[in-house]
């Protein structure tokens, strides 16, 4: 029994030394523990509508600073995957990623307009069905958070 304990201790020491070899030394400036990366998300009003090949989403902010921040985020993250999270009372009710189509972002006076379209009939139907579902959820009180590349760009309710 004593020999088994010694082997176990030896094995633990070997594993500890192997695991610790690749670890970088901690600098005093490095963060430890629970750090939170937080960002203020611009509040906007959403308007979603179906179009011929997909859907159009307009995001308008009443505050000039919020509109500018939203436009800058869209410019930086343009070309990435667009997603929508429908939330009620802080809980995600539905997530819809627009990977089935091409999403283009255009700047407007008070915000931006995103057009998600597809030349494929089945993908177009999926986009339009997501649009219908999201419009219904917002009419029932859900909030929408739009993301690009997983980064929140704006959050709000329907007009």
């Amino acid at each position: 029994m004593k020999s088994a304990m010694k082997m176990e201790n030896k094995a633990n020491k070997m594993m500890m030394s192997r695991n610790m070899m690749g670890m970088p030394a901690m600098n005093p400036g490095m963060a430890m523990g629970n750090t939170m990366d937080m960002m203020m998300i611009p509040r906007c009003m959403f308007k979603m509508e179906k179009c011929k090949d997909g859907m159009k989403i307009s995001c308008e902010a009443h505050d000039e600073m919020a509109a500018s921040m939203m436009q800058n985020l869209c410019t930086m993250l343009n070309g990435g995957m667009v997603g929508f999270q429908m939330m009620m009372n802080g809980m995600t009710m539905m997530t819809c990623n627009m990977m089935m189509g091409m999403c283009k972002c255009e700047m407007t006076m008070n915000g931006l307009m995103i057009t998600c379209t597809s030349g494929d009939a089945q993908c177009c139907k999926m986009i339009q069905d997501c649009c219908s579902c999201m419009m219904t959820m917002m009419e029932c009180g859900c909030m929408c958070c739009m993301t690009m590349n997983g980064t929140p760009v704006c959050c709000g309710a329907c007009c």
Side-chain angles (χ1 to χ4, degrees):
M1 187 71 160
K2 221 175 193 184
S3 63
M5 293 271 269
K6 284 182 184 177
M7 287 178 69
E8 183 180 274
N9 286 339
K10 207 178 221 183
N12 283 341
K13 286 179 185 175
M14 284 176 41
M15 291 303 287
M16 285 285 288
S17 64
R18 283 186 192 161
N19 289 340
M20 298 302 278
M21 277 198 254
M23 303 259 319
M26 294 291 289
N27 292 333
M30 291 179 73
M32 293 281 299
N34 289 341
T35 59
M36 292 178 56
D37 294 333
M38 296 184 76
M39 180 178 112
M40 294 296 291
I41 302 170
R43 174 126 351 211
C44 69
M45 297 300 286
F46 283 96
K47 182 179 177 189
M48 297 183 184
E49 60 184 294
K50 295 179 188 179
C51 63
K52 182 183 173 221
D53 293 327
M55 70 183 279
K56 287 184 181 182
I57 306 106
S58 64
C59 310
E60 291 187 13
H62 298 294
D63 179 18
E64 187 179 322
M65 185 67 136
S68 176
M69 183 178 179
M70 188 170 39
Q71 290 171 343
N72 287 336
L73 282 167
C74 187
T75 300
M76 287 188 303
L77 301 168
N78 202 6
M81 185 175 69
V82 176
F84 298 93
Q85 286 75 38
M86 304 307 291
M87 297 179 291
M88 182 172 272
N89 297 329
M91 298 294 295
T92 302
M93 304 294 287
M94 180 188 86
T95 300
C96 184
N97 294 318
M98 293 291 148
M99 51 76 62
M100 67 287 262
M102 288 292 299
C103 295
K104 295 179 184 172
C105 184
E106 301 171 35
M107 303 307 151
T108 62
M109 185 84 153
N110 298 334
L112 51 96
M113 178 174 283
I114 296 180
T115 308
C116 295
T117 58
S118 177
D120 181 64
Q122 293 298 321
C123 289
C124 178
K125 182 172 175 13
M126 283 192 284
I127 293 169
Q128 290 178 341
D129 288 347
C130 283
C131 179
S132 294
C133 183
M134 289 188 293
M135 286 190 306
T136 301
M137 291 183 86
M138 283 197 293
E139 288 168 4
C140 293
C142 284
M143 297 286 288
C144 181
C145 181
M146 184 181 79
T147 60
M148 294 180 104
N149 289 335
T151 302
V153 174
C154 57
C155 188
C158 63
C159 299

